Amino acid sequence: MDKITVTSPLLPDLGEFDELLKDIWSKKWITNNGTYHQQLEKALCDYLKVPYLSLFTNGTLPLITALQALRITGEVITTPYSFVATTHSLWWNGIKPVFVDINPVTCNMDPDKIEAAITPKTTAIMPVHCYGMPCDVERIEAIADKYGLKVIYDAAHAFGVEINGKSILENGDMSTLSFHATKVYNTLEGGALIVNDDKTKKRIDYLKNFGFAGETEIVAPGINAKMDEVRAAYGLLNLKQVDEAIAARKVVAECYRDSLKDVKGIRFMNDISGVRHNYSYFPIFINAEEYGMTRDELYFKMKDANVLGRRYFYPLISTFSTYRSLESANPSNLPIATRLAEEVICLPMYSSLSMEQVNRVLFEIVK
Ligand SMILES: *Cc1c(COP(=O)(O)O)cnc(C)c1O
């Protein structure tokens, strides 16, 4: 039987893309804040309901640039239960990551664990809205205010997520997005940094273009992290169909939930009232004793049937060679993240997944 992949990219109509490519070819302006770049920044601000957004060439460079822009140094409190880029962005800035454990229901940084991890060297907190589930932003920011810390949210999973009609991306000092092929909304590769005022937006625009503030003036040791016109045009087309894609993902999520709710030993995440979810991932957590099979046994059984899940996030970032000697990386400091990393499988989730495919996934899991 055909392979069911864990993800599949949202692609714009090729004919429409071709029209925009012809336009770019005729203008001969292919990067450096061209018209499609400007249009996409504006369209994303409108769609995401945020005041200022700067486009990037991927979702890792906005993290690195945010830390530069806010002049973060010393130690930053973060989560081990994420994609490696979160922690790598700290490493690339010479910052020591300090891992704290997560909440077992949301998979996000546990606010109860933050204060004990603060030292005189702590300058910021970098939480992740894991799987697009909102962090406890109020408690995180109350702690940040009390200790004078900055907050940078890695919101790579949280495209379009809103709480009571307000964008989740407006929280903290800055938030970052990834528009990688595997995300809910993609620009092939791409990303963005969301900031709260125009002065900061201007500074980010300098930093992502080598620090150029004018023809001959360099105001900072910036990097090259710009998005080009081809991907900005592609992004404009994909934005037109992202609501439809999220709605289709919701149908898949509801189908999974409906069929898995009575399966002993399988836990999944439910929608939160007042939150507009984006259904970016569908993680399930296997209690081996109750389910009668370990996570890995199920994962490989699915794989044998050409149904690909992904053990996301396993292994924890804190177990990688770069980080495992850190004191905070000790598994005894991270019992919940360590357990969930052993229990999780993300099921296939994308807008073009057919009901027949969903049923094939479920056939492997429901007993
Ligand atoms: C995808 C992702 C990133 C990195 O984004 P890229 O666009 O792949 O560079 C960072 N953080 C998290 C949590 C991600 O899932």
Side-chain angles (χ1 to χ4, degrees):
M1 279 212 263
D2 288 351
K3 196 169 269 181
I4 302 178
T5 52
V6 70
T7 181
S8 176
L10 183 66
L11 293 167
D13 180 80
L14 198 52
E16 282 185 62
F17 188 42
D18 194 40
E19 289 304 309
L20 300 191
L21 288 177
K22 285 185 182 127
D23 185 49
I24 293 168
W25 260 240
S26 73
K27 285 182 176 133
K28 298 191 176 13
W29 187 331
I30 57 174
T31 188
N32 285 65
N33 200 28
T35 55
Y36 287 105
H37 185 282
Q38 291 171 26
Q39 279 182 55
L40 184 58
E41 283 196 347
K42 171 143 197 341
L44 283 170
C45 280
D46 290 345
Y47 179 84
L48 298 168
K49 303 182 188 168
V50 296
Y52 300 97
L53 172 150
S54 186
L55 284 172
F56 275 72
T57 192
N58 60 47
T60 301
L61 284 162
L63 287 166
I64 290 173
T65 307
L67 294 162
Q68 283 281 316
L70 294 168
R71 296 190 165 87
I72 304 300
T73 57
E75 296 177 3
V76 170
I77 294 171
T78 189
T79 167
Y81 195 82
S82 180
F83 182 63
V84 283
T86 311
T87 313
H88 282 355
S89 73
L90 300 172
W91 198 263
W92 276 71
N93 277 282
I95 294 162
K96 180 175 164 185
V98 176
F99 298 111
V100 298
D101 208 2
I102 57 173
N103 173 299
V105 176
T106 63
C107 297
N108 289 327
M109 180 183 285
D110 183 348
D112 286 338
K113 304 283 160 60
I114 296 175
E115 282 190 90
I118 295 174
T119 77
K121 289 186 182 149
T122 310
T123 55
I125 307 174
M126 185 180 272
V128 178
H129 301 296
C130 192
Y131 307 130
M133 287 287 166
C135 288
D136 190 339
V137 290
E138 275 168 26
R139 288 194 55 209
I140 290 172
E141 281 157 46
I143 295 166
D145 287 346
K146 187 165 152 193
Y147 291 87
L149 307 175
K150 303 285 188 196
V151 182
I152 301 165
Y153 288 101
D154 180 343
H157 298 178
F159 184 89
V161 173
E162 295 175 7
I163 306 179
N164 298 323
K166 272 194 69 174
S167 172
I168 199 174
L169 305 169
E170 274 189 280
N171 292 291
D173 294 278
M174 297 186 186
S175 292
T176 67
L177 287 171
S178 164
F179 306 148
H180 183 256
T182 55
K183 306 300 205 264
V184 169
Y185 167 80
N186 82 83
T187 59
L188 302 166
E189 293 264 3
L193 184 48
I194 289 90
V195 298
N196 297 322
D197 64 88
D198 63 339
K199 262 204 275 191
T200 312
K201 152 83 171 148
K202 198 174 253 176
R203 187 163 148 72
I204 296 301
D205 287 345
Y206 297 155
L207 283 173
K208 77 175 182 190
N209 187 28
F210 309 99
F212 274 108
E215 207 179 304
T216 54
E217 194 185 7
I218 295 282
V219 293
I223 198 156
N224 181 6
K226 305 184 298 293
M227 181 183 279
D228 59 79
E229 285 293 274
V230 172
R231 285 186 287 156
Y234 174 107
L236 276 168
L237 295 177
N238 250 357
L239 194 56
K240 292 197 295 185
Q241 55 173 357
V242 72
D243 276 336
E244 210 179 307
I246 291 172
R249 285 167 172 270
K250 182 176 182 183
V251 173
V252 174
E254 280 167 355
C255 208
Y256 281 150
R257 283 175 186 155
D258 201 44
S259 299
L260 295 174
K261 65 180 188 299
D262 298 322
V263 180
K264 242 180 127 216
I266 289 194
R267 186 169 70 81
F268 52 79
M269 294 170 130
N270 282 304
D271 285 359
I272 301 162
S273 109
V275 174
R276 185 213 185 215
H277 291 279
N278 66 6
Y279 309 95
S280 47
Y281 299 89
F282 196 89
I284 60 170
F285 303 90
I286 317 294
N287 178 324
E289 213 165 289
E290 286 180 18
Y291 184 66
M293 200 185 271
T294 66
R295 184 275 309 272
D296 282 348
E297 281 167 348
L298 175 60
Y299 171 78
F300 287 109
K301 173 175 173 264
M302 287 165 61
K303 204 170 180 177
D304 283 344
N306 259 344
V307 175
L308 301 186
R310 186 172 176 200
R311 291 168 290 179
Y312 198 60
F313 293 98
Y314 164 85
L316 289 182
I317 302 174
S318 48
T319 66
F320 295 131
S321 59
T322 319
Y323 305 115
R324 66 177 165 232
S325 60
L326 294 168
E327 204 183 316
S328 66
N330 195 313
S332 66
N333 183 48
L334 308 166
I336 297 184
T338 302
R339 175 165 61 80
L340 295 192
E342 293 291 334
E343 292 183 352
V344 71
I345 303 180
C346 284
L347 300 187
M349 172 53 89
Y350 43 93
S351 56
S352 59
L353 205 60
S354 70
M355 275 309 123
E356 188 211 324
Q357 289 173 310
V358 168
N359 287 330
R360 262 183 65 203
V361 176
L362 287 166
F363 181 80
E364 296 304 318
I365 304 168
V366 180
K367 297 183 293 185

